[in-house]
Amino acid sequence: MNRIDRLFVDLKGQGRKALIAYVTGGYPTLSVMDKAVKDLVRGGADLIEIGVPFSDPIADGPTIQESSQKALDGGITPGALLDWVKRFRKSHETPLVLMTYMNPVVSRGFDRFAREAKTAGVDGVIVPDLIIEEGGPLEESLARQGIHLIYLVAPTTPKSRREQIARRSKGFLYAVSLTGVTGARRALPKDVGAFLADVRRRSPVPVAVGFGISDPAQARHAAAEADGVIVGSALIQRLKNKEPLLPFARSLRHALDRP
Amino acid sequence: MVREFQSVIGREVKVQIRAFQSGDPDALVACVGGGSNAIGLFAPFYDHKKVAFYGVEAGGEGLRSGRHSATLCTGRPGVLHGARTYVMQDENGQVLPTHSISAGLDYPAVGPEHAFYKDTGRAVYVAATDKEALAGFKMLNETEGLSAALESSHALGFLPRLAKKMKRSQSVVLGLSGRGDKDMAQLAEGFHEPH
């Protein structure tokens, strides 16, 4: 069983929500990122999303864009990140998802990418600039290796299409909370609850909500109508300021678990 | 959609060429950055197989320098901004920085229909360097008194190379996609550099 599926089954049994933490691969360095991921897991993150830096990250806001560029300037490559996953897997069973863009995957070749990801111990892949109409070949390559391709829906996605996308998404469905790019926001849109409730009603797989979630209160609010929350830019901001991640992860965990 | 609306260029050429000759032109030449003006000139002639298409990309400081925007000449297939097409990229699929004396050609991908034209051999894609573009700009000023945009000047810069291979009786239509008024600062700088 894929680690992502097992996670959501376990959480459902416990009546808990998933805390999904995003870090940019190789930011600020690979060794700092390694420690950050382990702190996040210790602090209660259930699933780790590793951003594979891309030169043109069109779904990302300034915080993650800057971290991607920094990581690329530091010489990070998809190969180096897969090697890191391999090392991480020796000590951790935490589900791992790679968030990348289409071109690095096309460049590597779908089958090679899927094989290497499987060997390293990757459980899922998110490709925000891939639509379901074009996703078939990558889905097949990944499925042959037991890796899930996770699709995204946004508030602007028409309702019937939300359903089509949800049916194609494996592991979970990524619900984008707002119309815009990634990045911490002071407040989430007022109607995020209704949007999530609709998506969740249509989705055969668990729904995780991301984009703009920057503190424990927002995480708790968003989680009310979802199966998990994704926090990214707020973590990158802390890494940039050299602030510790462990207490922040714990506060997010606490906010989600509090009755 | 871009091709559809830009195609007015090629449709007008089909009509207006009759004032000069009876048949089609032998060759069409246009600069290619994203490729909109070129596809607009080429597309209406797609089925006129005797008409040769030449798309001229920005060769910048030369293809070997790495400082250019010649996507079709040097790139490989990828996906950028939602389209599968040729992309200037490194071995890991990271998009490469581009350079050109003209801002309008400075783009690391290209309209996907040009990728199709290239792969099927319907069009030939070449590169003109910054220097050739400046020479092309100068040529049109001296012969016609027209200041072309630096983008179109790349097509003009390639023209002498093409003309050498053609007969006097043959004709070429070159798409002048813009005026050079906007490029005065770049032109002044370009013509002051020793070359």
Side-chain angles (χ1 to χ4, degrees), chain A residues 177-223:
Chain A
S177 69
L178 45 82
T179 50
V181 291
T182 61
R185 307 286 204 283
R186 267 198 208 102
L188 294 175
K190 278 198 187 74
D191 47 3
V192 72
F195 163 63
L196 290 172
D198 178 76
V199 170
R200 212 172 174 204
R201 197 164 53 239
R202 293 166 192 278
S203 177
V205 289
V207 174
V209 54
F211 280 43
I213 298 169
S214 54
D215 63 37
Q218 281 178 353
R220 184 177 169 81
H221 174 64

Side-chain angles (χ1 to χ4, degrees), chain B residues 4 6 13 16 27 38 58 65 69 103 120 123 153 160 163 174 180 189:
Chain B
E4 197 58 32
Q6 292 284 338
V13 168
Q16 292 174 10
S65 72
S69 304
T120 55
S153 295
L174 184 146
E189 200 179 305

Side-chain angles (χ1 to χ4, degrees), chain A residues 52-56 58 72 76-79 102-104 106-108 129, chain B residues 76-82 84 87 89-96 108:
Chain A
V52 182
F54 178 49
S55 52
D56 292 60
I58 54 172
L72 286 173
I76 198 69
T77 61
M102 198 53 180
N103 200 52
V106 168
S107 171
R108 216 166 186 81
D129 60 342
Chain B
R76 59 190 174 92
V79 174
L80 186 65
H81 302 145
R84 183 174 168 88
V87 177
Q89 55 184 312
D90 71 9
E91 69 277 12
N92 287 312
Q94 305 292 350
V95 178
L96 293 170

Side-chain angles (χ1 to χ4, degrees), chain A residues 74-137:
Chain A
I76 198 69
T77 61
L81 284 172
L82 288 168
D83 287 342
W84 173 84
V85 172
K86 215 175 277 178
R87 292 197 298 278
F88 179 77
R89 272 282 166 259
K90 287 181 182 159
S91 54
H92 290 71
E93 277 299 307
T94 317
L96 277 180
V97 168
L98 296 182
M99 155 135 179
T100 181
Y101 286 86
M102 198 53 180
N103 200 52
V105 181
V106 168
S107 171
R108 216 166 186 81
F110 294 164
D111 281 334
R112 182 185 158 200
F113 172 75
R115 266 197 319 272
E116 290 178 348
K118 176 64 182 180
T119 308
V122 169
D123 305 292
V125 176
I126 302 172
V127 186
D129 60 342
L130 177 63
I131 54 173
I132 48 172
E133 286 77 3
E134 303 290 342

Side-chain angles (χ1 to χ4, degrees), chain B residues 82-192:
Chain B
R84 183 174 168 88
T85 182
Y86 279 76
V87 177
M88 284 175 59
Q89 55 184 312
D90 71 9
E91 69 277 12
N92 287 312
Q94 305 292 350
V95 178
L96 293 170
T98 54
H99 163 84
S100 170
I101 193 170
S102 62
L105 301 185
D106 214 343
Y107 183 56
V110 64
E113 205 156 341
H114 286 295
F116 169 74
Y117 278 26
K118 175 188 160 83
D119 283 2
T120 55
R122 182 63 188 91
V124 172
Y125 295 91
V126 296
T129 62
D130 291 349
K131 279 183 191 171
E132 286 176 303
L134 288 169
F137 175 86
K138 203 167 167 215
M139 175 181 73
L140 192 70
N141 266 275
E142 291 173 353
T143 55
E144 302 284 344
L146 291 171
S147 295
L150 270 171
E151 288 79 10
S152 323
S153 295
H154 285 75
L156 290 162
F158 165 71
L159 197 56
R161 264 193 271 160
L162 176 64
K164 272 181 202 141
K165 292 191 293 186
M166 296 181 73
K167 295 185 205 126
R168 268 203 97 75
S169 58
Q170 290 183 300
S171 61
V172 178
V173 171
L174 184 146
L176 273 186
S177 52
R179 297 162 55 101
D181 309 54
K182 67 179 180 58
D183 294 321
M184 285 306 152
Q186 280 287 355
L187 286 161
E189 200 179 305
F191 283 115
H192 271 94

Side-chain angles (χ1 to χ4, degrees), chain A residues 15-20 44 46 213 215-224 227-231 249-259:
Chain A
R16 297 167 75 218
K17 308 286 182 171
L19 175 58
I20 300 174
D46 300 301
I213 298 169
D215 63 37
Q218 281 178 353
R220 184 177 169 81
H221 174 64
D227 303 292
V229 293
I230 305 162
V231 182
R250 283 189 173 135
S251 66
L252 291 167
R253 178 82 266 166
H254 179 71
L256 293 184
D257 290 350
R258 189 158 46 86

